[in-house]
Amino acid sequence: MGNLVLKDFVRREFEDLKSNLNKGNIPKVASEYQNHLNYMQNLPLNIAVTGDAGTGKSSFVNAFRGVSDDDKEAAEVGPGKETMEPKAYPHPSFPNIKIWDLPGIGTHKVKAAKYLKNVQFERYDVFIMVISDRFTENDVLLAKEIQRMRKKFYYVCSKIDITINNEMRKKDFNVENTLASMRQYCESRLKEAAKVSSRVFLVSSREVYKYDFPLLQETIAFELPDHKKDILTLSVHIFSEKNLMWKKELMKSYIKKLALISCVCGAMPVPGLSMSCDVAMLIDALRYFCRVFGLDDRSLRFLALQTGKEFEVLRSAIKKTPLANAISANLVFSLLMKSSLWVTVSLVEMVLDIIPLIGSLFGGASSYVVTYHFLNSFLEDVMEDARNVRAKFLQ
């Protein structure tokens, strides 16, 4: 049944390829597909983070990027490290996503309206205000101005792990009751002081897999405009099955586009072009898959530090795929040679290459089938390993 579906799908796409071959504009088609992928991977997403000094803003910026506070790419944290000017910190695996560490309004002896002008408020897609368990006058001023300008804003109470640790000393401690009470307090203070009714997310930058951190990222992604929500979804760590399935759907769409580009390369009547196009493209694609699903050295080390697990323990959960930095041309060839589909198609393609028109048509279709099949198979392996890693750090 699966083969019939694949054949039908390829047949429909192959009709489009034949039409473009007849028009003689294959390079244009290839360029359009590649430009679309490049555009989506480079589409900027700017997230601004503000808050008073001492609220844990810079640590939150690092945690949102999946970076530890002591990494060389991290925003500076600690006493005397107060943010005085807006500074962008690119996501290490998705540099088109920039998290901006903004100076807290309390560091500027100006009104909220002027503060927003100074930090170029209009450049950001999303605003996050990091607050402590005390809602200050500066928080009120900024919240009111944000509401007036109708910008998308999220309120985060950080250092919730410290609050939980302090409350644990009480005899009647209950974590769910403590969280509910904390959330109710923050939201009521927000409503009372700034006349703003909004959810307050309780997060810990030291334990991003706990509390509301995953929900915050999912909520922001869901509420972004359609052309940008996918960008954030692909960059976040996998803390739920729902997040894993969102990534899968986006990657399946990505695979189709890559298969079409491969199809176009394979249709070009230039000896060796299909092979060189496919291998280079597959190397980039496999590395991209691993980064999207957190199967890279940096992501695993960040999760190890956050969860208290050993890096090697998390690494041992990955059974079917290599880490992103281990993917090379030799590895891709090795994986392809294990695919009977690729071997069969390659042998036939070599014969048909001597017949220009038939060879071109077959080359396009065969490149599409091989790329589509190969990447979908790799995607299933990546998802299985990502599930195993999540199960391991949640143990």
Side-chain angles (χ1 to χ4, degrees):
M1 183 65 178
N3 288 336
L4 292 176
V5 173
L6 180 60
K7 287 179 180 179
D8 182 62
F9 188 71
V10 172
R11 187 179 298 109
R12 293 197 304 270
E13 299 296 344
F14 193 42
E15 291 300 320
D16 293 336
L17 173 63
K18 288 194 295 183
S19 173
N20 283 296
L21 275 170
N22 293 332
K23 296 175 184 177
N25 61 350
I26 289 300
K28 179 182 177 182
V29 176
S31 178
E32 288 175 353
Y33 285 137
Q34 189 62 63
N35 287 340
H36 179 73
L37 286 178
N38 291 340
Y39 172 76
M40 292 306 297
Q41 291 186 13
N42 293 289
L43 189 64
L45 176 62
N46 292 291
I47 299 175
V49 181
T50 187
D52 272 344
T55 58
K57 177 166 55 71
S58 295
S59 287
F60 175 83
V61 168
N62 293 332
F64 203 95
R65 299 164 56 227
V67 172
S68 302
D69 286 343
D70 56 356
D71 284 356
K72 61 180 181 180
E73 305 94 341
E76 291 187 316
V77 300
K81 302 300 183 181
E82 187 175 318
T83 304
M84 300 304 295
E85 297 293 335
K87 185 172 181 180
Y89 291 92
H91 190 288
S93 297
F94 302 85
N96 55 313
I97 301 176
K98 290 184 173 63
I99 315 299
W100 290 79
D101 192 358
L102 302 188
I105 188 173
T107 62
H108 291 257
K109 304 302 181 181
V110 295
K111 292 183 179 180
K114 190 173 181 181
Y115 166 83
L116 295 178
K117 181 179 179 180
N118 291 347
V119 300
Q120 296 181 301
F121 187 77
E122 67 281 352
R123 81 164 63 162
Y124 310 110
D125 297 286
V126 171
F127 246 82
I128 297 173
M129 180 190 285
V130 181
I131 61 177
S132 65
D133 55 358
R134 296 181 180 180
F135 206 70
T136 68
E137 181 181 352
N138 290 324
D139 295 331
V140 173
L141 289 172
L142 191 53
K144 286 181 176 179
E145 192 63 24
I146 296 299
Q147 187 182 35
R148 187 184 69 80
M149 296 185 70
R150 300 182 183 280
K151 279 283 188 175
K152 199 64 185 176
F153 214 88
Y154 299 90
Y155 298 91
V156 166
C157 182
S158 66
K159 303 183 181 180
I160 195 64
D161 54 312
I162 296 177
T163 300
I164 293 295
N165 288 336
N166 290 337
E167 291 295 311
M168 286 177 65
R169 301 172 185 175
K170 298 181 179 180
K171 293 181 179 179
D172 58 347
F173 169 76
N174 178 281
V175 64
E176 294 301 328
N177 290 342
T178 300
L179 291 173
S181 176
M182 188 67 179
R183 183 177 292 108
Q184 182 181 17
Y185 169 78
C186 290
E187 291 176 358
S188 62
R189 286 288 294 127
L190 181 63
K191 185 175 183 179
E192 176 187 345
K195 309 302 184 214
V196 174
S197 295
S198 180
R199 180 189 179 106
V200 174
F201 294 88
L202 308 179
V203 307
S204 165
S205 297
R206 295 179 179 178
E207 299 172 308
V208 296
Y209 62 101
K210 287 185 176 182
Y211 313 117
D212 290 341
F213 213 115
L215 178 63
L216 171 68
Q217 292 182 318
E218 288 180 9
T219 303
I220 294 174
F222 181 77
E223 295 180 352
L224 279 168
D226 288 342
H227 64 292
K228 290 199 173 185
K229 66 175 54 180
D230 296 347
I231 302 171
L232 185 58
T233 299
L234 292 175
S235 72
V236 300
H237 288 286
I238 298 171
F239 297 126
S240 69
E241 183 67 18
K242 178 172 67 174
N243 185 244
L244 184 73
M245 298 309 295
W246 282 354
K247 287 177 182 273
K248 177 183 179 180
E249 291 307 309
L250 293 175
M251 286 296 94
K252 289 184 77 69
S253 175
Y254 178 72
I255 286 172
K256 179 181 177 181
K257 292 181 177 66
L258 285 184
L260 289 170
I261 294 172
S262 176
C263 177
V264 170
C265 285
M268 294 290 286
V270 179
L273 180 61
S274 175
M275 177 73 73
S276 61
C277 280
D278 285 347
V279 173
M281 185 167 55
L282 291 176
I283 293 173
D284 289 340
L286 299 195
R287 289 174 179 170
Y288 185 59
F289 280 25
C290 288
R291 292 197 303 272
V292 165
F293 287 88
L295 304 183
D296 60 277
D297 186 84
R298 179 192 296 274
S299 295
L300 289 179
R301 293 191 184 282
F302 176 74
L303 287 176
L305 183 64
Q306 289 274 321
T307 61
K309 303 289 185 181
E310 293 292 333
F311 169 80
E312 290 302 331
V313 170
L314 297 184
R315 178 68 181 86
S316 68
I318 302 174
K319 306 293 186 182
K320 293 191 172 183
T321 57
L323 293 183
N325 59 314
I327 294 173
S328 63
N330 288 338
L331 177 68
V332 171
F333 274 118
S334 174
L335 294 175
L336 283 171
M337 289 302 294
K338 294 177 182 179
S339 168
S340 58
L341 174 64
W342 182 80
V343 174
T344 302
V345 167
S346 296
L347 291 174
V348 179
E349 186 176 6
M350 289 176 61
V351 175
L352 293 181
D353 271 344
I354 62 174
I355 310 174
L357 181 58
I358 298 178
S360 294
L361 291 173
F362 183 82
S366 62
S367 291
Y368 181 94
V369 173
V370 171
T371 303
Y372 187 87
H373 177 271
F374 177 75
L375 290 180
N376 271 288
S377 177
F378 190 82
L379 175 60
E380 292 300 322
D381 289 343
V382 167
M383 287 185 59
E384 182 176 334
D385 282 339
R387 280 194 181 97
N388 291 338
V389 170
R390 180 164 60 91
K392 185 72 69 173
F393 73 68
L394 289 178
Q395 283 180 352

